[in-house]
Amino acid sequence: MPDADLLLRSATDLAALVRTGEVSATELTELSLRTIEARDGDVHAFTTVSADAALAAAADIGPGDERPFAGVPMAIKDLFVAVAGQRMTCGSSITGEHWVPEYDGFIARRLREAGFVFVGATSSPEFGALPVTEPRRFGATRNPW
């Protein structure tokens, strides 16, 4: 299994490793999910972790996939970007507990077409209105560094 430092490499480097078969998209996704599990208790960056969907998407990506970012795990900001099957809150309680879009918005669709694997959604200021991420719904997000 790859070392956690692998996730510090660029997205193009990671995609090249997947393309050549040096590492699989599933291995990268599992590594990303383990890192989230290990660190997010202190950082509070994620509002949603989509482990099952991410692993399913990664399983469909194999060596030789020519998409520019095939197999690279990424999180998407929980702010006005609809991802099919992933809860969207915009950092607010107004959206309810379980609003889950059935479709990908334009940005999510383009990122998915480029080969990215969505591992979840990251916290945002309520509706993006403030310059800091401290929404009442999820609490403050801390800098992991």
Side-chain angles (χ1 to χ4, degrees):
M1 190 51 71
D3 184 276
D5 286 343
L6 184 62
L7 294 177
L8 298 176
R9 296 181 66 175
S10 73
T12 52
D13 283 352
L14 294 176
L17 293 173
V18 171
R19 192 173 302 110
T20 63
E22 191 171 331
V23 67
S24 73
T26 298
E27 288 174 317
L28 283 179
T29 301
E30 288 172 343
L31 178 59
S32 181
L33 292 168
R34 281 196 315 276
T35 303
I36 293 166
E37 185 177 345
R39 296 184 181 168
D40 200 49
D42 294 327
V43 179
H44 303 286
F46 281 81
T47 59
T48 302
V49 177
S50 302
D52 292 340
L55 291 168
D60 290 337
I61 299 169
D65 192 316
E66 290 298 321
R67 292 178 293 169
F69 299 105
V72 177
M74 75 166 293
I76 198 151
K77 198 68 147 166
D78 186 7
L79 188 64
F80 308 120
V81 179
V83 175
Q86 181 171 283
R87 178 177 72 157
M88 187 167 134
T89 71
C90 297
S92 178
S93 296
I94 292 173
T95 58
E97 273 305 304
H98 302 291
W99 186 60
V100 179
E102 297 177 7
Y103 59 89
D104 280 338
F106 176 75
I107 294 169
R109 181 174 50 84
R110 294 298 303 264
L111 291 168
R112 199 182 302 273
E113 288 171 353
F116 283 106
V117 174
F118 297 128
V119 295
T122 57
S123 192
S124 68
E126 190 168 6
F127 296 109
L130 298 173
V132 294
T133 303
E134 298 177 355
R136 277 184 242 159
R137 181 168 185 176
F138 297 106
T141 298
R142 292 168 176 72
N143 185 326
W145 304 111

